[in-house]
Amino acid sequence: MTSDLHRLSATELARGLQSRSLTAEAVARACLARVAERDGELKAWVHVDADQVLAQARALDQGPVRGLLHGLPIGVKDVFDTHDMPTQYGSPIYAGHRPSVDAAPVALAREAGALLLGKTATTEFSTFQASPTRNPRNVKHTPGGSSSGSCAAVGSDMVPLAFGAQTAASIIRPAAYCGVVGYKPSFGFISRVGVKALSDTLDTIGCVARTVDDVALFAAALSGDKTLADLPVIQQPLRVGLCKPHADKLLPETHAAMELAAKKLSAAGAKVVKIALSPDHAQLTQAHIDIMAFETARALSDERQRHGDHISTGLRGVIDKGLQMNYTHYAAQLRYVEETRATLPALYARCDVLLAPSAAGEAPLFEAGTGDPTWCRMWTLLGLPCVHLPFTHGPQGLPVGLQAIGPMHADRATLAAAAWMMQKLRG
Amino acid sequence: MTSDLHRLSATELARGLQSRSLTAEAVARACLARVAERDGELKAWVHVDADQVLAQARALDQGPVRGLLHGLPIGVKDVFDTHDMPTQYGSPIYAGHRPSVDAAPVALAREAGALLLGKTATTEFSTFQASPTRNPRNVKHTPGGSSSGSCAAVGSDMVPLAFGAQTAASIIRPAAYCGVVGYKPSFGFISRVGVKALSDTLDTIGCVARTVDDVALFAAALSGDKTLADLPVIQQPLRVGLCKPHADKLLPETHAAMELAAKKLSAAGAKVVKIALSPDHAQLTQAHIDIMAFETARALSDERQRHGDHISTGLRGVIDKGLQMNYTHYAAQLRYVEETRATLPALYARCDVLLAPSAAGEAPLFEAGTGDPTWCRMWTLLGLPCVHLPFTHGPQGLPVGLQAIGPMHADRATLAAAAWMMQKLRG
């Protein structure tokens, strides 16, 4: 059944590709056919060169098995530099831009045998201005941003794996809206060299897939931690800390998802406790907003000066705010974050993993923009590993889920906990 | 005396340029003449286009005063991307490379009116493989690395200001060998977007000049903290903590410099105390080595795979070590650094600023390489602001000095203390 290969998970495909019972070309052809079928409507891709993809696939089939990702088709968010594909960062300033070098995570994926299927649509420099991408569950809705194309492509079975990057909510929120698994690792876990920068304190590379094992496999090839390819099985009863920041702004479907999760996970043997983040969430969210504005304003210095007319009004507003911000205020916010990070070990003495909202609720309508990043800002700021778990639906039939948030650098344990919870939540 | 303009400090030149009693063109001509006179021997520059420089200078003279750096000639280390000059990162892999965008700090310097005189020589990707640059005090010796050209150019009065970047010792060590002021700010103080990356945890942008006021002026234009342009005068007796890590490897001239500094600063009214770093220096130095290797190995992923033959044997060794390193070990070293950073407030309760060696002693011979980075690794790792102060000489008549090291984010107070100490040490 070659024509259904695009529906398999990366882990399933990898078995066939590693044993050579499947060819990279057959997998590529199935994915390309799916792109041809769905992308006219979804607009997840900004660049796919089928001939180039098939030539790559044949070269992989003719050579030795290269690594963990051998022959797996992967979407590359178009803020990652690629030496053999255009890279536009979602901005008209970079129309036709051809980097001379691959971003480090792209080079590492290639080294592990990945088949780069093309570049996926992103918002302007990973900020707010939406790409034309539509939600694969309902094209009247946004896929979320900024990893819009990556999540739409994975959610519509065009590709089993895709790169994402998160500065505020850019992996977890679109994963939630598209009903896929999104993984934002611990800060610094995957090299971000060659990925268009917004904020040194926040920018984090991650990935999306349709299963937790798949994001773990992808990250095993990209990070220094190969043991992620084989996640441990949870033995002890998992201690899950339910956490509801900004509860007043949540939609009913997310309250319901929290209750459903508590019930199902308790029934499966987890110890579920309620956790209140200390200090106040609102303060952390504001610190994120301030630090991102201060750093983004400087990161885009050349674009602001030489191509200011081609920067959207929304982004220009953030830049102006960042330029006007007092250095003392910015440094005080950085210190505050450091102090808060120091309180996290006490929090994780009470639970193994937090479970918290990924977004307010279902995906908003396309015209309303890419959604509110409020529920991700604090976790990105704290640098903690986050995994979005899609497991239920809202009143409009669109996906709803929650994110698991683990301790700093405990990515393997967090993914293992996420895999266990995913199984119980979907059961 | 137009012909002596190249000898003036940036602060002195700025007075004339801001009041328009000096033209940018006259300053540029003096610097270009000095380059013509000295650079055949010193090889500090990899790119200077005199016509382009003079056209820029005339444009600055014809327009309004643009900012703090109006008309000041600046050398740009050739690991900083420039949209109008080639950028080779000290590697044959990038021969003829022309980035399409300025690095953020370059764009910010231009915005403040800086006159970019050209690109200065660097070691291979800011690591070990030396550029052909010679020490301006004695051409038989190394200028140090990796900001070799920037320090040689400033030390030989070709330019009053130059960009540097430090991952291990790349600003402070060449500043020490060339007898100039080197400033490595607090980690993250100046945006590093568009500067060739080695290590996300360590890479720090800074600058070199001939006076402390000059590096402060430069940083005022680049960072978000404009108050650096007007440093406070030290009022209270300064508490100086003398710190001698790796004392057994220091050369006699550095022991003598420490004693001389203690004597002069005490005589000038400072409270000089001895400080022993806790925990052990050797452990911090090793943590730096490990973290740098792990991250550098990944940062250069594309170059390693597609251009491995053009990477030097020394750098290849670091990359191989980084690729072989266990992730758990790397993460443990990161945690150790975080714990050590948490002990720093207690240290800085005892003194306002540390004073410590910048290098073993005088510059080694050219053939011996760019020198030992041991005395800078731990401070870069801790992210603390460092200022090299040149104030004495060694047995071969070459420059010797010490570095002032202040608390995190206290760049203004650290520079003020450095300026005060510089005055007393040279007096």
Side-chain angles (χ1 to χ4, degrees):
Chain A
M1 287 287 286
T2 306
S3 63
D4 265 357
L5 286 176
H6 60 279
R7 297 197 190 278
L8 296 184
S9 72
T11 313
E12 288 167 330
L13 288 171
R15 264 182 234 120
L17 288 159
Q18 299 275 331
S19 67
R20 315 227 78 155
S21 62
L22 268 182
T23 65
E25 187 176 351
V27 178
R29 285 194 186 278
C31 289
L32 289 169
R34 183 69 173 167
V35 172
E37 185 187 346
R38 296 297 315 273
D39 206 48
E41 188 175 49
L42 294 181
K43 299 180 175 61
W45 300 88
V46 292
H47 176 87
V48 177
D49 179 334
D51 292 339
Q52 192 179 359
V53 170
L54 291 171
Q56 264 189 69
R58 283 188 288 265
L60 285 164
D61 286 333
Q62 284 153 21
V65 172
R66 295 193 61 181
L68 287 174
L69 306 180
H70 187 87
L72 288 175
I74 286 173
V76 182
K77 183 179 180 181
D78 201 28
V79 292
F80 289 62
D81 283 347
T82 42
H83 82 267
D84 56 358
M85 291 184 276
T87 305
Q88 200 178 327
Y89 314 129
S91 163
I93 298 170
Y94 288 92
H97 178 56
R98 305 281 318 204
S100 66
V101 59
D102 278 342
V106 171
L108 290 166
R110 278 194 219 266
E111 187 173 32
L115 179 65
L116 305 186
L117 202 82
K119 304 297 287 279
T120 59
T122 171
T123 62
E124 179 190 24
F125 297 124
S126 294
T127 60
F128 332 99
Q129 186 80 9
S131 73
T133 314
R134 298 286 174 150
N135 191 305
R137 310 299 173 189
N138 182 335
V139 296
K140 290 186 180 150
H141 292 257
T142 176
S146 67
S147 305
S148 320
S150 284
C151 291
V154 169
S156 59
D157 299 335
M158 296 191 213
V159 77
L161 295 174
F163 274 111
Q166 177 158 316
T167 305
S170 282
I171 293 172
I172 298 297
R173 177 184 44 181
Y177 290 170
C178 294
V180 299
V181 173
Y183 169 39
K184 181 206 79 68
S186 291
F187 180 75
F189 193 58
I190 297 171
S191 174
R192 58 186 175 175
V193 171
V195 180
K196 186 68 179 166
L198 276 184
S199 160
D200 229 19
T201 303
L202 302 167
D203 294 346
T204 310
I205 305 309
C207 52
V208 290
R210 291 187 294 270
T211 75
V212 175
D213 282 339
D214 283 8
V215 291
L217 175 70
F218 196 5
L222 302 173
S223 73
D225 190 0
K226 297 243 181 292
T227 68
L228 291 188
D230 188 21
L231 292 179
V233 176
I234 298 291
Q235 304 284 0
Q236 306 282 346
L238 193 70
R239 297 174 307 152
V240 179
L242 290 186
C243 183
K244 254 195 207 184
H246 299 285
D248 54 318
K249 290 168 69 188
L250 288 173
L251 294 174
E253 59 263 32
T254 303
H255 289 293
M258 294 286 283
E259 280 165 39
L260 180 64
K263 210 170 105 186
K264 286 197 168 188
L265 296 176
S266 296
K271 292 183 179 168
V272 179
V273 292
K274 287 194 180 167
I275 298 269
L277 252 198
S278 162
D280 187 50
H281 314 131
Q283 249 178 287
L284 280 169
T285 302
Q286 189 59 49
H288 177 281
I289 292 169
D290 292 349
I291 290 168
M292 183 170 166
F294 189 92
E295 296 183 0
T296 297
R298 284 156 185 86
L300 298 174
S301 291
D302 185 68
E303 289 86 353
R304 171 174 60 80
Q305 287 174 55
R306 293 199 297 129
H307 309 282
D309 293 352
H310 296 288
I311 293 177
S312 71
T313 311
L315 179 52
R316 182 70 220 197
V318 170
I319 289 173
D320 287 344
K321 205 184 117 200
L323 290 175
Q324 283 150 23
M325 196 179 294
N326 188 292
Y327 172 75
T328 312
H329 176 70
Y330 163 73
Q333 293 290 45
L334 286 177
R335 262 196 307 279
Y336 166 66
V337 175
E338 208 164 311
E339 286 160 17
T340 307
R341 283 180 189 149
T343 68
L344 292 173
L347 188 158
Y348 282 107
R350 297 174 55 209
C351 63
D352 301 310
V353 68
L354 294 173
L355 199 60
S358 296
E362 290 175 302
L365 288 171
F366 179 80
E367 290 69 25
T370 58
D372 185 344
T374 293
W375 291 272
C376 295
R377 289 187 187 270
M378 73 193 71
W379 311 119
T380 309
L381 181 64
L382 294 173
L384 303 176
C386 301
V387 187
H388 175 75
L389 306 174
F391 67 93
T392 184
H393 290 84
Q396 299 172 92
L398 290 170
V400 170
L402 297 169
Q403 60 180 321
I405 303 142
M408 189 69 183
H409 293 139
D411 288 68
R412 188 161 187 253
T414 304
L415 286 162
W420 184 86
M421 289 194 287
M422 188 69 166
Q423 191 188 25
K424 304 309 175 191
L425 290 171
R426 285 201 167 167
Chain B
M1 285 286 287
T2 307
S3 63
D4 266 356
L5 285 176
H6 61 278
R7 298 198 189 278
L8 296 184
S9 71
T11 313
E12 288 167 329
L13 288 170
R15 263 182 235 120
L17 288 159
Q18 299 276 330
S19 67
R20 315 227 79 154
S21 63
L22 267 182
T23 65
E25 185 175 351
V27 178
R29 285 194 185 277
C31 289
L32 288 170
R34 184 68 174 168
V35 171
E37 184 188 346
R38 295 297 315 274
D39 205 48
E41 187 175 49
L42 294 181
K43 301 179 173 61
W45 300 87
V46 291
H47 176 86
V48 177
D49 179 335
D51 291 339
Q52 191 179 1
V53 170
L54 291 172
Q56 264 189 70
R58 283 188 289 264
L60 285 164
D61 287 333
Q62 283 154 20
V65 171
R66 295 193 61 182
L68 285 174
L69 306 180
H70 188 87
L72 289 175
I74 285 172
V76 182
K77 183 179 179 179
D78 201 28
V79 291
F80 289 60
D81 284 347
T82 43
H83 81 267
D84 56 358
M85 292 185 276
T87 305
Q88 201 178 326
Y89 313 129
S91 163
I93 297 170
Y94 288 91
H97 178 55
R98 305 282 316 206
S100 66
V101 59
D102 279 342
V106 170
L108 289 165
R110 279 194 218 265
E111 188 173 32
L115 178 67
L116 305 187
L117 203 81
K119 303 298 286 279
T120 59
T122 171
T123 62
E124 179 191 24
F125 297 122
S126 294
T127 60
F128 332 100
Q129 186 80 7
S131 73
T133 314
R134 299 287 174 147
N135 191 304
R137 310 298 173 189
N138 181 335
V139 294
K140 291 186 179 150
H141 291 257
T142 176
S146 65
S147 305
S148 319
S150 284
C151 290
V154 169
S156 59
D157 299 335
M158 297 191 215
V159 76
L161 295 174
F163 274 111
Q166 177 158 318
T167 305
S170 282
I171 293 172
I172 298 296
R173 176 184 46 182
Y177 291 169
C178 295
V180 299
V181 174
Y183 169 39
K184 181 206 79 69
S186 291
F187 180 75
F189 193 59
I190 297 171
S191 174
R192 58 187 176 175
V193 171
V195 179
K196 186 69 179 163
L198 276 183
S199 161
D200 229 20
T201 304
L202 302 167
D203 294 346
T204 311
I205 305 309
C207 52
V208 290
R210 291 187 294 271
T211 76
V212 175
D213 281 339
D214 283 8
V215 291
L217 175 70
F218 196 5
L222 301 173
S223 73
D225 190 1
K226 297 245 181 292
T227 68
L228 292 187
D230 187 23
L231 292 179
V233 176
I234 298 290
Q235 304 285 358
Q236 306 282 347
L238 193 70
R239 298 174 307 152
V240 179
L242 290 186
C243 182
K244 255 194 207 183
H246 300 285
D248 53 319
K249 288 168 70 188
L250 289 172
L251 295 173
E253 58 264 31
T254 304
H255 288 292
M258 293 287 281
E259 280 166 38
L260 180 63
K263 210 170 107 186
K264 286 197 168 188
L265 296 177
S266 296
K271 291 182 179 170
V272 179
V273 293
K274 286 193 181 166
I275 298 269
L277 251 199
S278 163
D280 187 48
H281 314 130
Q283 250 179 286
L284 281 170
T285 302
Q286 189 59 48
H288 177 281
I289 292 170
D290 292 349
I291 291 168
M292 184 171 166
F294 189 91
E295 296 183 0
T296 296
R298 284 156 184 87
L300 298 175
S301 291
D302 185 68
E303 290 85 354
R304 171 174 61 79
Q305 286 175 54
R306 293 198 298 130
H307 309 283
D309 293 352
H310 295 288
I311 293 177
S312 71
T313 312
L315 178 52
R316 182 70 220 197
V318 170
I319 289 174
D320 288 344
K321 205 184 118 201
L323 289 176
Q324 283 149 23
M325 195 178 296
N326 189 291
Y327 172 74
T328 312
H329 176 71
Y330 163 73
Q333 293 288 45
L334 286 178
R335 262 195 306 279
Y336 166 67
V337 175
E338 209 164 309
E339 286 160 17
T340 308
R341 283 181 188 148
T343 69
L344 293 173
L347 188 157
Y348 283 106
R350 297 173 56 208
C351 64
D352 301 310
V353 68
L354 293 173
L355 199 60
S358 296
E362 290 175 301
L365 288 171
F366 179 80
E367 290 70 24
T370 59
D372 186 344
T374 293
W375 290 272
C376 294
R377 289 189 188 270
M378 72 192 74
W379 312 118
T380 309
L381 182 63
L382 295 173
L384 303 176
C386 301
V387 187
H388 175 76
L389 306 173
F391 66 92
T392 182
H393 290 85
Q396 300 171 92
L398 290 170
V400 170
L402 297 170
Q403 60 181 322
I405 303 140
M408 189 69 184
H409 293 139
D411 288 68
R412 188 161 187 251
T414 304
L415 287 162
W420 184 86
M421 289 195 287
M422 188 69 167
Q423 190 189 27
K424 303 308 174 190
L425 291 171
R426 284 200 168 168

